[in-house]
Amino acid sequence: MAVLSEALTQILIPTSALIGIGFALLQWLLVSKVKVSVDYGKKDGYKDKLIEDEEEGAENADAVIKCAEIQNAISVGATSFLFTQYKYLGIFMVAFAAVIFLFLGSVKGFSTQSEPCTYNPGNLCKPALANAMFSTIAFLLGALTSVLSGFLGMKIATYANARTTLEARKGVGKAFITAFRSGAVMGFLLAANGLLVLYVTINLFKLYYGDDWEGLYESITGYGLGGSSMALFGRVGGGIYTKAADVGADLVGKVEKNIPEDDPRNPAVIADNVGDNVGDIAGMGSDLFGSYAESSCAALFVASISSFGITHDYSAMSYP
């Protein structure tokens, strides 16, 4: 017997997601407490100048402005790379979605007739064509959520890196708190967005599927596949591609000019840091979301063909 009623479960899940989003926004707000002023004087973009009330003297002000310029260059480079990457990912998403639809729809010859359920032959389940269509939609939703998770993670990282550096001038503790809070933004947004989109998707699909939980949760597995597909390109493709710039920048600076790693005098360091943001942060965000969504969808599908799914116990089904 379920501990929670179905109505309470329907409230608890989206409430948890919204709390996660709210907590992430709170962490972002705390990170943004380091003062920012924006100068739109440049033709090719803008320059962030981080001005701290506590900073005094021309030398300190110059260091802060230089730090902000580096931050802006990294942010512009990482954003440009991701937008280029996402253009090609968009083509892949559409092509792979078409393949999924064709493969799943052709199982029963694009039948529009209801079929006996696989795990409960006494009941009729929705036709193969409907399962193909809804699985494709779930795949696209998972892919878009994965892309969004990676992009938001990258944006908060490029937003917080100079602020963490400035806080480090006041002590290791302040720098750690700023870095930890900025990382928490991606972590909580990733989990909360995934949970909220999955919850909304299941409830919208349920309007069509009704009591056919087998077909409903089988189509939902496309959500996890979409997240994992984007992780493949974001983590492996983008990460390896930009790692070449990372290693190249370090080697050239050390071998040719004998300057330290990540020294701003080496122009290739910007490419190095862009690679770190694209591969280690945006790629990792997509990768984490893919693992999170795939494991959740798999658990939901297993639950849907268990005794909980057969008896339509929604509260127990929602436990994963």
Side-chain angles (χ1 to χ4, degrees):
M1 185 172 131
V3 176
L4 299 177
S5 66
E6 181 174 337
L8 186 57
T9 305
Q10 291 278 15
I11 295 172
L12 183 62
I13 296 173
T15 301
S16 301
L18 292 174
I19 290 173
I21 294 173
F23 185 77
L25 293 176
L26 174 63
Q27 300 309 305
W28 173 82
L29 182 64
L30 293 172
V31 171
S32 68
K33 290 297 184 182
V34 177
K35 306 300 181 186
V36 179
S37 66
V38 182
D39 179 15
Y40 291 95
K42 279 190 168 184
K43 292 181 181 179
D44 58 345
Y46 61 88
K47 185 191 332 182
D48 283 349
K49 294 185 177 181
L50 309 187
I51 308 298
E52 287 187 313
D53 296 335
E54 295 85 353
E55 296 287 350
E56 294 179 359
E59 184 178 348
N60 285 336
D62 290 342
V64 173
I65 291 172
K66 185 63 177 177
C67 183
E69 289 175 348
I70 295 172
Q71 176 208 29
N72 181 64
I74 295 169
S75 179
V76 170
T79 303
S80 300
F81 185 95
L82 279 185
F83 278 140
T84 303
Q85 178 176 286
Y86 289 158
K87 281 195 295 185
Y88 291 99
L89 280 181
I91 298 172
F92 167 79
M93 282 167 54
V94 174
F96 197 48
V99 171
I100 291 173
F101 178 78
L102 291 174
F103 277 15
L104 293 180
S106 63
V107 171
K108 299 288 184 180
F110 297 97
S111 171
T112 56
Q113 301 298 319
S114 297
E115 300 282 344
C117 297
T118 304
Y119 300 98
N120 193 6
N123 295 336
L124 289 178
C125 288
K126 299 299 181 182
L129 185 62
N131 290 337
M133 182 177 66
F134 282 102
S135 295
T136 304
I137 294 172
F139 168 80
L140 292 173
L141 286 173
L144 290 172
T145 311
S146 180
V147 166
L148 180 65
S149 299
F151 183 75
L152 290 175
M154 188 276 297
K155 292 304 288 184
I156 185 60
T158 55
Y159 181 82
N161 55 13
R163 288 166 172 80
T164 303
T165 303
L166 293 174
E167 290 297 283
R169 304 174 81 183
K170 304 175 186 176
V172 176
K174 286 183 176 292
F176 174 79
I177 290 172
T178 303
F180 193 83
R181 283 173 174 164
S182 64
V185 173
M186 183 181 80
F188 277 91
L189 273 181
L190 182 152
N193 282 337
L195 179 62
L196 187 61
V197 174
L198 189 58
Y199 170 80
V200 172
T201 303
I202 289 173
N203 279 276
L204 288 178
F205 284 13
K206 197 189 294 183
L207 296 177
Y208 171 77
Y209 278 98
D211 290 337
D212 179 12
W213 283 26
E214 180 185 317
L216 168 63
Y217 286 98
E218 186 174 345
S219 66
I220 285 296
T221 55
Y223 185 76
L225 178 62
S228 296
S229 300
M230 295 304 102
L232 174 67
F233 289 92
R235 183 64 167 158
V236 181
I240 291 175
Y241 189 84
T242 55
K243 189 56 68 176
D246 187 335
V247 176
D250 294 337
L251 289 177
V252 169
K254 291 174 181 177
V255 173
E256 293 192 1
K257 296 296 182 182
N258 195 30
I259 57 179
E261 184 177 331
D262 292 339
D263 192 300
R265 292 173 296 174
N266 181 359
V269 166
I270 299 300
D272 180 343
N273 285 279
V274 167
D276 290 338
N277 282 278
V278 171
D280 296 340
I281 299 174
M284 186 178 291
S286 293
D287 197 10
L288 287 172
F289 174 80
S291 301
Y292 168 73
E294 205 163 41
S295 58
S296 299
C297 292
L300 286 170
F301 178 67
V302 170
S304 71
I305 59 176
S306 69
S307 59
F308 299 125
I310 293 173
T311 58
H312 294 111
D313 189 343
Y314 182 82
S315 297
M317 266 288 306
S318 301
Y319 183 74

